[in-house]
Amino acid sequence: MSRIPVADLPLLSQASRRIPPVFKGFIWGLVGFLALNAIVADMSQETPHQYVTQVSVVFGWIGAMLGWVLGTGTWEAFMKPAFGRMSSWQEPSGWRRYFGYSTNHKVVGIQYMVSSAGGFVIAGIAAMLMRIQLMEDHMWLFQFPQQYLSTVGIHGTIMMFSVGTVFMVGGLGNYLIPLMVGSNSSAFPRLSGMSVWLVPFGILTVAFSPLLGDWTTGWRGYEPLAQSDADGIIFYYLGVFALLLSSLIVALNLTATIIYKRAPGLTWNRLPMYAWGMLAVSLLNIIWIPEIMMTFVLGLLNKIVPLPFFTALGSPLTYLQLFWLFGHPEVYIVVVPALALWMEIIPVMGRKTLFARQWGIIGLVFVMLFSGLVWAHHMFPTMRNQEILPFSFFTEMISVPTGFAYMVAIGTLWKSKLQITTPTILVLMSMFNFLIGGLTGLFLADPMVNMQVHDTFFIVGHFHFTIIGGMVFSSLAALYYYLPKFSGRMYNETWGKFGAVWVFLAFNATFAQLFVIGLRGMNRWVPVYPQYLQPMNFEISIFAILLGLGFLFNIVYILRIWVKGPVCEENPWKSKTLEWQTASPPAEHSFASVPRVVSGFYDYSDDCKSPSAPQGKIGIADT
Ligand code: HEM
Ligand SMILES: [Cu+2]
């Protein structure tokens, strides 16, 4: 028998440390699931004995979540020291640090962005499957209608809760906000090091939900309908719960960071627009996420106990009210970051002072305040006439503060020296698409029109214009704009514009037609439809596939530049905001000394003046 020479031991432990912590998380998660599921299944009285019951799978899932989150590094780096024990934790270096727990807000931001992009790809594949099914008027790709409906649900759920809610807030927010406020870390770095791992976990839970059976309620999990679904709905509730928990932690972290971690001189008056946007969104999240999480817990208990909250104890409308009470603000959770980003990019690209900045902030804040007042416009068909009126009114009113943000963008563009770069055209495209989404939304606020087009593809057209048109196009703009910051490398304008124009044309060709086909009578949530709609559906699907390929092109191109694009200068856009006053990519501690802010960031009338003076030593930069 050979023994390991003592001298080699440190190397051995180094080698084991080199295994990315995600593998450990995966094993611990698997063990967690098997252990808790087995214990609970064993306690059940059912004969014949079942290895997976509704209750056991819920506990198994909780075990899996704990195992995964602890295994990815939370145990070593966070829990052990919290229990007063020695931690052997060392953050891995190089690419490995992205595959485990990290307290660095830039690593966490990138982890959020990559997880979210993974969700985008998975949910995008689901979209392609739906569009392929809809190329024909009869069942041909899917065997049963429930499979189509599960796909709709998986697509919508992952898109809303892991892309719409996460990319620009958890991803860009975590990366940018500490930099924007001149701090070297976020307020709760250890918490966000953990919360990011809930995202891939939640996405996979939803994506694998059909393992427990198809569910048919879409991204909204409607009760009491969900009770007649197969058990897949359990994974819907659980997966969304994990995703929402992650977003809630992000919201707490960003709010605290913006309030408490601002550099000296960074008054509310000088706070960058994206930070204002993140503050508004985080407050929305803090108000509404707990509400919807509890609603999902009620739905879950209804399924596994059962506790009939939405039938015997309440009315079937109870769930609708509770869901849309969150569901409408969710739309603004998705859109407010996009509005804020326009106001961030346009002054830089136009070399012009932000127009009517205070009105932009008022717009963001009032959109936030109004968004909780309009939920019932999603359920007009369930209401009496006199109940409808106030909701119709408030829905139309919300376009006023949204309009403020819009006017700030337009006013800044007006007579500016606009540089036509890829981020610029993506922002302009986002503004154009969002305008169409907004205008069709005004139609829907009108009860008469609403009754006509309710649950048709008109609605599908409207919300995709708002969400893809507004939020996804802005996210792409942000990716191109901040690519030099993230990677120190610059994309090629020709290829960037090619990617932007590709998705813009394919997007409009696909989704503008949905308004028409909706008016002609194409219902949503149906894999089978009248024959006269088939040619148009076929054509829409072709454009949808082109759009999917366009997104793929942009993702692959951005990744390629990130890894091996040409190195560029540190502040290629000559922006004045603080995140650009650091190295690109920023060093481990972004600011060597705390910056002192001496003026606002958006005055480009004099191109040379810098708003921040690196202050000698007014204290060691906090970590
Ligand atoms: C290539 C891009 C996309 C295509 C082709 C696409 C296509 C579709 C289709 C065919 C439906 C089902 C309509 C029905 O039968 O009711 C749908 C629903 C939906 N989509 Fe998309 N989609 C895309 C991107 C997105 C994105 C980026 C988001 C959000 C971030 C999104 C959010 C939703 C939501 C929330 C639903 C509703 C699901 C439900 O009713 O439960 N989609 N989409
Ligand atoms: Cu709404």
Side-chain angles (χ1 to χ4, degrees), residues 324 327-329 331-332 371 374-378 395 462:
W324 287 114
H328 188 82
V331 179
Y332 287 94
S371 69
V374 304
W375 77 95
H377 65 205
H378 294 270
T395 304
H462 155 71

Side-chain angles (χ1 to χ4, degrees), residues 380 392 395-396 435-453 458-459 462 515 519:
F380 282 165
S392 175
T395 304
E396 296 190 2
L435 186 64
I436 297 184
L439 290 179
T440 49
L442 279 181
F443 286 106
L444 297 176
D446 183 83
M448 269 84 77
V449 180
N450 190 298
M451 298 292 176
Q452 280 298 314
V453 298
F458 190 93
I459 308 279
H462 155 71
F515 296 122
L519 289 173

Side-chain angles (χ1 to χ4, degrees), residues 28 144 205 210 251 291 371 379 387 508 517 598:
W28 286 23
F144 305 106
T205 306
E291 187 267 325
S371 69
M379 35 194 296
E387 291 172 337
N508 274 278
I517 203 168
V598 292

Side-chain angles (χ1 to χ4, degrees), residues 120 127-128 130-131 134 148 152-153 155-156 159-160 163-164 218-220 457 460 463-464 467-468 472 511 524-526 544 547-548 551:
F120 187 77
M128 296 301 119
M130 292 184 295
R131 278 318 322 179
L134 293 176
Y148 175 80
V152 174
H155 166 76
M159 283 297 191
M160 290 309 270
V163 181
W219 79 286
R220 302 150 322 164
F457 262 63
V460 183
F463 70 73
H464 281 91
I467 303 177
I468 305 186
V472 176
F511 286 94
R524 55 193 295 216
W525 301 299
V526 283
L547 175 60
F551 281 132

Side-chain angles (χ1 to χ4, degrees), residues 279 461 498:
L279 188 61
F498 172 76

Side-chain angles (χ1 to χ4, degrees), residues 114-281:
V114 171
S115 308
S116 180
F120 187 77
V121 171
I122 293 176
I125 292 172
M128 296 301 119
L129 293 177
M130 292 184 295
R131 278 318 322 179
I132 292 172
Q133 166 61 43
L134 293 176
M135 287 171 116
E136 300 280 350
D137 58 357
H138 54 273
M139 300 301 297
W140 69 288
L141 180 69
F142 295 107
Q143 225 176 343
F144 305 106
Q146 297 93 301
Q147 293 169 332
Y148 175 80
L149 290 174
S150 277
T151 314
V152 174
I154 291 172
H155 166 76
T157 306
I158 295 182
M159 283 297 191
M160 290 309 270
F161 294 108
S162 84
V163 181
T165 319
V166 171
F167 189 85
M168 292 188 90
V169 188
L172 280 180
N174 261 309
Y175 192 104
L176 291 178
I177 290 301
L179 292 176
M180 278 186 163
V181 300
S183 161
N184 278 339
S185 86
S186 61
F188 307 124
R190 282 171 299 205
L191 208 53
S192 64
M194 180 197 81
S195 70
V196 66
W197 294 103
L198 292 170
V199 177
F201 189 72
I203 292 173
L204 291 180
T205 306
V206 177
F208 284 111
S209 58
L211 284 179
L212 297 184
D214 289 316
W215 46 288
T216 57
T217 51
W219 79 286
R220 302 150 322 164
Y222 271 170
E223 292 280 347
L225 189 64
Q227 297 307 313
S228 47
D229 269 343
D231 291 347
I233 194 78
I234 293 178
F235 270 0
Y236 159 83
Y237 286 133
L238 291 173
V240 176
F241 193 89
L243 292 169
L244 287 168
L245 185 61
S246 183
S247 285
L248 183 60
I249 295 174
V250 170
L252 295 171
N253 190 17
L254 291 184
T255 309
T257 307
I258 294 170
I259 296 181
Y260 297 114
K261 293 241 143 188
R262 277 171 295 141
L266 184 50
T267 57
W268 290 108
N269 244 337
R270 294 173 180 162
L271 191 69
M273 294 311 277
Y274 198 69
W276 270 110
M278 286 298 110
L279 188 61
V281 166

